[in-house]
Amino acid sequence: MAVECVELKVRRLEEAVVQLIRKAAIELPSDVKEALWKAYKSETSKIGRIQLKAILENITAAESAGKPLCQDTGLISFYVRSRSIDHMAVEKALRRAVVRASRLVPLRPSVVHPLTRLNTGNNTGNRIPNILWMLEDIDHMEVTVVLKGAGSENSSDLYMLPPGEGVKGVKRTVVEAVVKAGGQPCPPTIVNIGLGGTVDLTFKMAKLALIRPLGKRHPEGGIAELERELLRLVNSTGVGPMGLGGRNTALEVKIEYAHGHTASLPLAVNFQCWADRRATLRIHPDGSAEIF
Ligand code: SF4
């Protein structure tokens, strides 16, 4: 009986996550759409406005047709938040949901072996989808899915700054990374930054910044101020929409940090493209669920 009950829960979770992936692939979150509209209205470059208009039309067309808004499915990541997690059962449901969503939505298969380049055909593979487990003191369970394209992932990087460079070094490196990336991450981007910690933690923090909604500042005043300043600096580069020039190079800059070693200052810059595809499933203790 207990086994049947767990299996039923896994099936329900799988079904809900198929819908979650569908929503993320087709419909951008409202904070991203609002930021893109704001960028369009404020863009002064003619070519930049044309690019933003095309992006906005693309978003509407995808929603009306119920089709993915970009041909690149990207790699699928899940962030699972709960007080206690049955890792094996949840992972099984998430993997099965990715396979089914790839067939049903449908989603272009993007996952290959790193050396043979053989495509698995269903957007899963060894350690993919990537799952971040987050044990938190909450009474519900949340699953956030992110679809992240190769253009933005290929532009992301890790920098080991001389600690003496401090804030000045962070600003210089982020601006240089944005200029070097140019149009590759499909700007206007969201620049997600991990600061401090160990090398793996630095990148993990940049991945955590990725799911914070646009416009929601870091709770610490000093970090929030740096986010604002970096956004201003990045938008002064002139890279512009799709790298063709303009004042809207990024929609947002977000930072997560950890304390680190006195002799280190690691900085991860993890770009997300304008197609900031994410959605969240919340399952309440009574079994009811919502997707947003
Ligand atoms: S970087 Fe983003 S918008 Fe550009 S092709 Fe890839 S998924 Fe699409």
Side-chain angles (χ1 to χ4, degrees):
M1 183 63 186
V3 174
E4 266 178 37
C5 191
V6 170
E7 187 57 28
L8 190 64
K9 277 189 178 168
V10 169
R11 286 279 169 200
R12 280 201 194 128
L13 177 62
E14 177 188 328
E15 190 54 47
V17 174
V18 171
Q19 301 313 320
L20 180 73
I21 298 170
R22 183 191 294 278
K23 179 175 165 60
I26 293 171
E27 192 186 325
L28 284 183
S30 55
D31 57 317
V32 181
K33 287 194 275 191
E34 277 165 28
L36 284 164
W37 270 106
K38 207 170 137 200
Y40 174 63
K41 285 180 193 154
S42 68
E43 186 53 65
T44 47
S45 140
K46 193 176 168 201
I47 188 82
R49 274 181 72 84
I50 291 170
Q51 296 305 312
L52 285 164
K53 187 166 181 271
I55 286 171
L56 290 166
E57 285 172 356
N58 181 97
I59 291 167
T60 309
E63 280 182 23
S64 324
K67 297 245 163 69
L69 54 95
C70 183
Q71 87 289 345
D72 181 9
T73 303
L75 288 188
I76 298 179
S77 291
F78 291 103
Y79 300 68
V80 183
R81 284 193 165 108
S82 181
R83 188 183 290 154
S84 67
I85 302 173
D86 181 344
H87 293 79
M88 281 174 69
V90 172
E91 181 169 352
K92 189 175 166 190
L94 299 182
R95 289 183 75 87
R96 288 202 309 217
V98 171
V99 172
R100 282 182 57 205
S102 297
R103 195 179 67 245
L104 296 172
V105 175
L107 301 170
R108 188 186 77 178
S110 299
V111 173
V112 301
H113 184 280
L115 297 178
T116 65
R117 313 308 292 173
L118 207 64
N119 196 315
T120 62
N122 59 21
N123 287 307
T124 69
N126 191 27
R127 301 180 198 278
I128 294 293
N130 184 19
I131 305 172
L132 275 83
W133 306 101
M134 301 153 79
L135 285 172
E136 291 182 13
D137 190 19
I138 50 178
D139 66 353
H140 57 273
M141 177 182 173
E142 261 184 32
V143 179
T144 296
V145 67
V146 173
L147 276 60
K148 196 160 183 298
S152 58
E153 201 72 345
N154 290 346
S155 307
S156 302
D157 219 336
L158 175 77
Y159 307 86
M160 300 305 288
L161 304 183
E165 286 201 14
V167 178
K168 209 169 152 193
V170 170
K171 289 181 187 173
R172 176 185 52 76
T173 308
V174 171
V175 170
E176 283 175 5
V178 168
V179 172
K180 184 176 161 216
Q184 184 171 241
C186 294
T189 57
I190 294 100
V191 185
N192 301 288
I193 293 171
L195 202 53
T198 56
V199 165
D200 57 328
L201 181 57
T202 312
F203 245 113
K204 188 179 172 191
M205 286 185 297
K207 295 281 283 186
L208 289 175
L210 183 61
I211 56 167
R212 195 198 317 156
L214 276 56
K216 189 172 176 195
R217 288 271 158 248
H218 192 279
E220 286 183 30
I223 301 291
E225 189 48 45
L226 184 56
E227 289 175 338
R228 272 190 283 270
E229 171 67 356
L230 283 171
L231 181 60
R232 188 188 67 73
L233 290 171
V234 164
N235 282 332
S236 309
T237 59
V239 170
M242 302 309 285
L244 295 172
R247 63 197 297 181
N248 287 285
T249 301
L251 300 175
E252 187 59 285
V253 175
K254 293 178 274 176
I255 302 171
E256 293 294 332
Y257 82 92
H259 285 81
H261 195 286
T262 181
S264 301
L265 180 48
L267 164 71
V269 179
N270 193 355
F271 289 95
Q272 174 63 306
C273 56
W274 66 261
D276 185 14
R277 295 163 293 178
R278 56 184 153 83
T280 297
L281 164 71
R282 182 174 292 162
I283 302 171
H284 297 281
D286 65 1
S288 62
E290 55 185 321
I291 290 178
F292 54 93

